[in-house]
Amino acid sequence: MATTRAALTDDDIRTLVKGATPDERAVAAHRLCRTIDTSTLTDEDRAQAHEILRVMAADAAELVRRAVAVTLKNSSVVPRDVALRLARDVESVALPMLGASPVFTDEDLAEIVRIGGPVRQVVIAKRPRVSQTVTAAIVEHGVERAVEAACANDNADFAEQTLQKVIERFEQSERVLSAVAYRDALPVSVTERLIDMVGEAVRDHLLNHHAVSPELALQIAMGARERATIDLVDQAGRASDMKAFVSHLGKNDRLTASLLLRGMAHGHMTFLEWGLAELAGVPHHRTWLMIHDAGPLGLRAIYERAGLPARLYPAFRSGVDTFHSMEFDGGARDRERFQEKMLQRFLTQPTAAAREDVDYLMEKMDRISSETRRSFREAQSA
């Protein structure tokens, strides 16, 4: 052990073994750990260094064991048996290792999640990398705080079925559901399930940052999913000073793509015009021309300048084209006729929806027609 012995002085080793106070032994442990971590070791040196680490990990003084854990928390030099021993120690010793050590296997971490208690679960959930095996264990056995932490960690890898289980297990937890919604990437199935379960602000984030199917975008536009913002849509139709109304929404971060889409689906084209003008920073008269009188590329240009999500553009295109093809007479059926025609136009676009989306939209269109006929019969019999 010539190389190691030259670096790990006899004085340090002697102090480690026979130091009079925990403070002295902790200082020696820190120096020894730093040397072991940074020295180039032969196989024989490494084996003897591991034995020194085992002595330190078994020291009666918590301060010494903590010196080992803190100094070597990011090091791969720690033997696995030592890492597991430290992980079972008191929290001041265990947590530094659990939060960062690369020595643990996924199976080790999953087992610690299962038996280790809430504090250890949360620390593991925040690790720089968390595998699908470990996230599955956290979702299965973890407390709410641990699951929230894992979901908020974009370096934690989740299988789609694990995210679905998060939603099932914590459907009443706004904190957990929000953490899922704000992940960098989500499967479409998870996004669409969350739409019905979260508040308005989180729902708008989902629509603006994650993929949703075309039929869901239109369903939301028709108010079937976002009842909390229907009042805003109604206000958009009644606002006497649309510019001020839209400016107020913009300053409060409520001028979202989904709100504009719902407003347009209710026939409030002026709201869409002023909304796009506000988001794009373009005067209203120029925005009006781009929407209504600038050929097929005008709407796309102002839409992209406004920073709205590309996947919702076909629904906006359908609404504007439908608006141009209709005359609004102020009658009770205006909105129903508009929505029905918008759905028809969407179905006939070159960028058609998937087969299951088409089936859904056909059913939706039939339902609108049935409701309209029933309302008409009731009005006639009154």
Side-chain angles (χ1 to χ4, degrees):
M1 194 175 179
T3 304
T4 307
R5 179 68 67 185
L8 304 180
T9 68
D10 289 338
D11 285 344
D12 284 336
I13 296 175
R14 190 177 301 110
T15 302
L16 174 67
V17 176
K18 298 182 178 180
T21 68
D23 285 350
E24 290 177 354
R25 298 202 305 279
V27 170
H30 172 72
R31 283 202 297 261
L32 287 166
C33 289
R34 290 288 297 165
T35 302
I36 290 171
D37 191 31
T38 57
S39 297
T40 301
L41 305 178
T42 65
D43 289 344
E44 181 182 356
D45 291 339
R46 185 175 293 102
Q48 295 187 31
H50 286 178
E51 289 305 316
I52 293 174
L53 291 175
R54 291 186 178 98
V55 171
M56 290 188 279
D59 195 289
E62 177 184 332
L63 196 60
V64 174
R65 304 194 306 275
R66 176 168 169 75
V68 177
V70 171
T71 307
L72 296 179
K73 64 183 180 181
N74 294 307
S75 177
S76 59
V77 75
V78 182
R80 180 165 168 261
D81 64 292
V82 172
L84 289 172
R85 178 169 188 157
L86 295 174
R88 293 190 294 269
D89 210 320
V90 296
E91 289 178 0
S92 67
V93 176
L95 299 188
M97 294 295 292
L98 290 175
S101 176
V103 175
F104 299 112
T105 66
D106 288 343
E107 290 69 26
D108 291 337
L109 294 171
E111 179 65 8
I112 294 167
V113 165
R114 188 178 70 82
I115 65 175
V119 176
R120 286 170 168 77
Q121 291 171 353
V122 171
V123 169
I124 291 173
K126 294 180 178 180
R127 282 172 62 88
R129 189 194 73 83
V130 188
S131 71
Q132 289 190 4
T133 298
V134 180
T135 56
I138 292 171
V139 173
E140 178 74 24
H141 304 289
V143 296
E144 180 179 358
R145 287 186 297 119
V147 177
E148 179 191 355
C151 293
N153 181 359
D154 277 313
N155 293 316
D157 189 9
F158 282 82
E160 182 173 347
Q161 63 186 24
T162 304
L163 287 174
Q164 293 286 4
K165 189 164 187 177
V166 171
I167 296 173
E168 291 171 7
R169 188 177 167 206
F170 294 97
E171 61 181 349
Q172 301 300 321
S173 172
E174 183 178 348
R175 295 171 62 92
V176 172
L177 296 181
S178 293
V180 176
Y182 281 91
R183 288 184 61 77
D184 281 347
L186 286 177
V188 173
S189 64
V190 174
T191 301
E192 298 196 349
R193 190 170 179 186
L194 281 173
I195 289 286
D196 280 335
M197 304 175 72
V198 295
E200 179 186 347
V202 178
R203 186 182 295 117
D204 281 334
H205 175 85
L206 286 169
L207 288 170
N208 289 326
H209 293 85
H210 296 291
V212 296
S213 59
E215 86 279 7
L216 181 57
L218 288 177
Q219 188 177 7
I220 291 170
M222 289 182 284
R225 299 266 182 146
E226 289 199 50
R227 298 297 181 189
T229 55
I230 290 298
D231 287 345
L232 279 181
V233 175
D234 290 340
Q235 290 176 43
R238 299 192 304 267
S240 57
D241 186 345
M242 187 62 72
K243 181 179 180 180
F245 176 69
V246 165
S247 177
H248 174 76
L249 291 177
K251 290 176 181 176
N252 288 277
D253 295 324
R254 302 201 68 185
L255 195 59
T256 62
S258 58
L259 182 62
L260 289 173
L261 191 57
R262 283 194 305 278
M264 184 184 64
H266 283 67
H268 304 321
M269 187 56 64
T270 302
F271 176 55
L272 175 65
E273 295 161 2
W274 280 102
L276 288 177
E278 174 74 16
L279 292 173
V282 173
H284 176 261
H285 69 278
R286 286 184 56 197
T287 301
W288 189 98
L289 287 173
M290 296 179 78
I291 294 173
H292 298 291
D293 196 29
L297 299 181
L299 175 62
R300 182 179 291 277
I302 192 67
Y303 184 89
E304 291 177 352
R305 186 181 177 97
L308 298 179
R311 63 183 160 274
L312 297 183
Y313 175 77
F316 279 89
R317 178 79 267 175
S318 297
V320 171
D321 290 344
T322 302
F323 184 84
H324 289 162
S325 69
M326 288 183 63
E327 291 185 6
F328 286 82
D329 56 18
R333 288 197 57 217
D334 270 357
R335 190 177 76 179
E336 288 80 4
R337 288 189 300 115
F338 180 76
Q339 290 180 348
E340 185 173 0
K341 286 185 176 293
M342 186 170 74
L343 285 170
Q344 291 172 338
R345 187 173 292 271
F346 181 84
L347 287 169
T348 58
Q349 287 186 116
T351 54
R355 178 67 197 179
E356 59 270 21
D357 297 338
V358 173
D359 290 343
Y360 167 83
L361 291 171
M362 291 294 290
E363 186 272 332
K364 184 72 175 177
M365 195 162 58
D366 288 343
R367 188 160 65 247
I368 290 174
S369 298
S370 298
E371 291 171 355
T372 301
R373 288 194 298 271
R374 183 170 61 253
S375 298
F376 179 76
R377 286 196 301 270
E378 290 173 355
Q380 289 292 97
S381 61

